[in-house]
Amino acid sequence: RDGARITIETRDFPRGRQPGGGGMGYSGAEAVGALGGAVLVYGLEDMTRDDFVTYAGMGEPGGNVEAGLPGHLDNVAGSANGKFNVIATSPLTGRVRVNVVDVPEDLSIAIVYSSHTKTTGTAGGRAILGEPQDLVLTREEYVPTIGRISASTLAIVKGDVDSFLEYAWADPFHQPRRARAGFYGGFDDKQLGQ
């Protein structure tokens, strides 16, 4: 409203990737950077972490300012806080709560780019999954997955890297569907569990 404008300049990256590509959550970093700059310029340093992540989420794809619905809070919270973030929206108040947990020092993560070129990008990967109403989960899929998510989260909180690695890797919903559609190259979704 006060006429602030932010311009983001990019440079060439290896293999022609722009920083916004690759499904690495770069849009969250943009939103956090923009809001962080506004917080400093306008003297809003008393903003809470929960509000900061919520407002930054309004600048994310899928965010709807008019409806008050932020998008991709996982990307925004990670960019804002680092560490391990547990994000939940209260069913009573609708407010977002961001809990930040230190990551165990002996947990390392490697990010690897495949030689397979995804011609459709992140939007194409989302389109494979269909609309929210298209993804129907069975009790046999849903209940064990919630257990694994809970166990992996507890493992991070306790600093138990072995348990985290034991429970966190399985995704029975998104990645198998994308692999089956050829999104990751020439292998089928059964290979993801091997």
Side-chain angles (χ1 to χ4, degrees):
R1 287 192 299 258
D2 294 333
R5 179 185 182 105
I6 295 173
T7 302
I8 299 171
E9 296 180 8
T10 61
R11 61 180 175 86
D12 289 334
F13 276 70
R15 301 194 313 141
R17 291 185 186 274
Q18 289 300 313
M24 297 304 297
Y26 184 74
S27 59
E30 289 179 335
V32 166
L35 183 58
V39 164
L40 292 175
V41 168
Y42 294 108
L44 305 172
E45 289 87 356
D46 59 346
M47 185 181 298
T48 68
R49 181 190 311 270
D50 297 343
D51 286 341
F52 186 93
V53 169
T54 301
Y55 297 149
M58 297 298 181
E60 270 281 284
N64 184 331
V65 176
E66 289 78 23
L69 299 172
H72 291 287
L73 293 177
D74 53 341
N75 289 346
V76 173
S79 295
N81 305 318
K83 304 184 181 184
F84 183 80
N85 293 258
V86 179
I87 308 145
T89 302
S90 169
L92 298 177
T93 65
R95 289 189 53 83
V96 172
R97 177 72 189 267
V98 182
N99 298 282
V100 182
V101 179
D102 284 326
V103 178
E105 290 184 15
D106 55 343
L107 174 63
S108 299
I109 295 177
I111 298 172
V112 180
Y113 277 110
S114 166
S115 61
H116 171 66
T117 301
K118 297 185 290 187
T119 56
T120 58
T122 302
R126 290 188 186 121
I128 290 168
L129 301 176
E131 297 300 318
Q133 67 270 15
D134 298 334
L135 186 58
V136 178
L137 306 177
T138 66
R139 178 187 178 281
E140 290 75 21
E141 292 174 314
Y142 180 75
V143 173
T145 301
I146 293 299
R148 285 194 297 271
I149 291 169
S150 301
S152 7
T153 301
L154 179 61
I156 286 289
V157 170
K158 292 172 60 178
D160 183 351
V161 173
D162 290 339
S163 291
F164 174 74
L165 294 175
E166 180 178 353
Y167 291 108
W169 67 271
D171 173 7
F173 311 126
H174 297 76
Q175 306 316 334
R177 285 174 173 81
R178 288 174 172 159
R180 198 174 309 129
F183 189 66
Y184 298 119
F187 60 91
D188 67 33
D189 60 298
K190 303 295 185 227
Q191 291 174 291
L192 287 173
Q194 298 177 355

